[in-house]
Amino acid sequence: MELNSTPAVAIRPVASIITVNTNEKHRMLLYMPSVWASRGSFEILISDNGSTDGSVEYIEANFPQTRIIKNGANLGFAAANNRAAEQAQSEILVFLNPDTTVEPDWLEELLKPFSDPAVGLTTSKLILMPDPAHLNTCGNDVHVSGITLCRGMGKPRENYAHDEDVAAVSGAAFAIRREIFEAVGGFNEAFFIYMEETAMSLEGQLRGWRCVYVCKSIVYHDYALRFGPRKILFQERNRYMMLLQIYRLPTLMILLPAFLLAEIITWGFVILRDRRNWQNKLLAYAGVLENWRSIRAKRLLNQAQRKVRDRELLAITTSRLDFGQVTRGPVALAAALIFTPLFGLFRLVALALVRW
């Protein structure tokens, strides 16, 4: 296999591919040869969160051209990516999950839209690795309540056959201009994990940049919906923080009915699917208070740099929640019939009232 072995010091790479590793040797066995076989000019940086499974030694022995940032401890997804971004040499930062493999031309395709100076972020077509006939996601949908879902999950891979603007990138495989990454302050380290890419997508669009799904950038993702003991805590806390950091106060007040309805849904989900960890919802509320200074600082930054109105951000959201991604049968059908029209109404009212 011919690898991209040009020393980074000799030729400035077009893109810097950044991946966080936390004891992922079993994934690196597939990931490393796949990504190094990509076409184009690039460097690969592995930000290692104190791995003890031999993954760092494996990379050093078999792919010595890889740059490894040894964090010494688990800094979380956000901070680990930021540490690597600080050392990256290119103006395009590409963030790629370790549980992926790629088509050889995925990177070249992912970078093509940047020829348009208005494009700030791009995201790949993610195929389900265990079921390659079907999609994982083609960019992400952002609900009016801030809940983020895979776009096209489970549909035939032939779907979404054209490039188009999307509400958010998928954190599993996306690229961003360094100037945007630095303008927003990098990944929000207060998040630790989850929702970082949604926040960054909205913050980029708040500053006037386009977010584009690239249909020919093919990445295979070993994805399955999983719930660790603290996932709801991080997802819910970070959703609240994201909304508080992006929207103006009058917008938040107008959206309050949608937020309250989302609370009914998320509490119902916790009771049905994650009852053992129900206290995580309460911890998410507490987490907002604990991070209030961080929220306020990020909010001031976003408002100072905004170039578009809240109305434009609301316009890219959806009123539909794909309940089929988390549950099946009559429950999903009933939830869709009850809640989708209500969210649709709240969104229409917000669009009618929000002129700023």
Side-chain angles (χ1 to χ4, degrees), residues 251-280:
T251 306
L252 292 169
M253 297 303 295
I254 289 171
L255 288 173
L256 189 58
F259 299 155
L260 293 175
L261 188 59
E263 286 304 294
I264 294 173
I265 293 172
T266 53
W267 268 109
F269 174 82
V270 167
I271 292 169
L272 290 174
R273 295 289 303 273
D274 198 32
R275 190 176 304 172
R276 289 182 302 174
N277 301 306
W278 64 269
Q279 66 273 16
N280 281 337

Side-chain angles (χ1 to χ4, degrees), residues 2-184:
E2 183 178 350
L3 301 180
N4 186 331
S5 57
T6 304
V9 294
I11 300 175
R12 188 180 181 89
V14 173
S16 298
I17 302 172
I18 296 171
T19 296
V20 175
N21 173 54
T22 310
N23 291 318
E24 300 278 6
K25 182 178 180 180
H26 61 297
R27 299 193 185 282
M28 289 293 165
L29 296 174
L30 294 175
Y31 171 91
M32 292 303 297
S34 173
V35 179
W36 269 116
S38 304
R39 300 189 186 114
S41 170
F42 60 90
E43 63 175 350
I44 297 179
L45 296 89
I46 301 295
S47 190
D48 184 73
N49 276 337
S51 295
T52 57
D53 66 342
S55 52
V56 171
E57 292 78 6
Y58 163 75
I59 296 168
E60 289 175 333
N62 294 278
F63 301 92
Q65 65 273 52
T66 305
R67 298 174 62 193
I68 302 177
I69 294 86
K70 298 179 181 180
N71 300 317
N74 188 353
L75 304 182
F77 179 83
N81 274 316
N82 287 346
R83 298 300 170 273
E86 291 169 358
Q87 300 189 35
Q89 296 182 350
S90 68
E91 295 306 310
I92 301 293
L93 305 176
V94 180
F95 296 94
L96 187 65
N97 272 14
D99 57 351
T100 61
T101 58
V102 298
E103 293 283 357
D105 62 348
W106 76 283
L107 181 62
E108 290 180 332
E109 295 294 339
L110 188 65
L111 300 183
K112 283 182 179 179
F114 288 114
S115 61
D116 180 345
V119 173
L121 301 92
T122 61
T123 191
S124 300
K125 186 175 198 174
L126 288 156
I127 308 295
L128 287 169
M129 191 182 294
D131 182 14
H134 294 92
L135 296 171
N136 169 200
T137 192
C138 299
N140 285 341
D141 287 327
V142 179
H143 190 256
V144 66
S145 67
I147 295 172
T148 304
L149 293 172
C150 296
R151 178 172 171 267
M153 177 68 184
K155 293 183 178 179
R157 66 177 289 168
E158 293 78 17
N159 289 22
Y160 300 94
H162 303 283
D163 292 2
E164 55 188 315
D165 285 21
V166 290
V169 301
S170 167
F174 79 96
I176 183 172
R177 295 183 190 271
R178 177 187 288 276
E179 63 179 291
I180 305 172
F181 188 83
E182 293 178 348
V184 304

Side-chain angles (χ1 to χ4, degrees), residues 155-218:
K155 293 183 178 179
R157 66 177 289 168
E158 293 78 17
N159 289 22
Y160 300 94
H162 303 283
D163 292 2
E164 55 188 315
D165 285 21
V166 290
V169 301
S170 167
F174 79 96
I176 183 172
R177 295 183 190 271
R178 177 187 288 276
E179 63 179 291
I180 305 172
F181 188 83
E182 293 178 348
V184 304
F187 285 111
N188 192 333
E189 297 187 12
F191 282 19
F192 191 77
I193 191 171
Y194 299 126
M195 297 294 292
E196 303 97 340
E197 76 272 30
T198 303
M200 186 166 288
S201 298
L202 295 179
E203 288 169 348
Q205 290 170 94
L206 187 72
R207 290 161 172 80
W209 297 93
R210 291 174 57 203
C211 183
V212 177
Y213 153 69
V214 186
C215 66
K216 292 184 179 179
S217 175
I218 305 298

Side-chain angles (χ1 to χ4, degrees), residues 159-340:
N159 289 22
Y160 300 94
H162 303 283
D163 292 2
E164 55 188 315
D165 285 21
V166 290
V169 301
S170 167
F174 79 96
I176 183 172
R177 295 183 190 271
R178 177 187 288 276
E179 63 179 291
I180 305 172
F181 188 83
E182 293 178 348
V184 304
F187 285 111
N188 192 333
E189 297 187 12
F191 282 19
F192 191 77
I193 191 171
Y194 299 126
M195 297 294 292
E196 303 97 340
E197 76 272 30
T198 303
M200 186 166 288
S201 298
L202 295 179
E203 288 169 348
Q205 290 170 94
L206 187 72
R207 290 161 172 80
W209 297 93
R210 291 174 57 203
C211 183
V212 177
Y213 153 69
V214 186
C215 66
K216 292 184 179 179
S217 175
I218 305 298
V219 174
Y220 300 91
H221 188 200
D222 188 15
Y223 174 87
L225 185 63
R226 303 179 181 92
F227 289 92
R230 303 181 72 193
K231 185 171 184 178
I232 290 295
L233 163 61
F234 290 132
Q235 283 192 325
E236 288 293 273
R237 182 200 64 183
N238 296 349
R239 177 169 67 92
Y240 304 145
M241 291 176 64
M242 177 186 74
L243 293 167
L244 289 168
Q245 291 167 0
I246 290 174
Y247 287 123
R248 290 175 171 166
L249 182 58
T251 306
L252 292 169
M253 297 303 295
I254 289 171
L255 288 173
L256 189 58
F259 299 155
L260 293 175
L261 188 59
E263 286 304 294
I264 294 173
I265 293 172
T266 53
W267 268 109
F269 174 82
V270 167
I271 292 169
L272 290 174
R273 295 289 303 273
D274 198 32
R275 190 176 304 172
R276 289 182 302 174
N277 301 306
W278 64 269
Q279 66 273 16
N280 281 337
K281 277 288 288 182
L282 300 179
L283 292 174
Y285 301 143
V288 172
L289 297 177
E290 291 171 5
N291 287 280
W292 191 252
R293 286 189 178 181
S294 168
I295 293 170
R296 187 173 183 274
K298 194 63 178 289
R299 178 178 175 79
L300 290 172
L301 177 66
N302 286 334
Q303 302 312 313
Q305 295 184 0
R306 72 157 58 233
K307 293 185 178 179
V308 303
R309 302 176 297 171
D310 279 356
R311 179 177 174 79
E312 276 70 47
L313 291 183
L314 284 173
I316 65 174
T317 65
T318 179
S319 58
R320 178 178 177 271
L321 284 173
D322 186 358
F323 292 97
Q325 291 192 27
V326 294
T327 189
R328 298 288 180 182
V331 173
L333 178 60
L337 291 174
I338 294 170
F339 294 114
T340 300

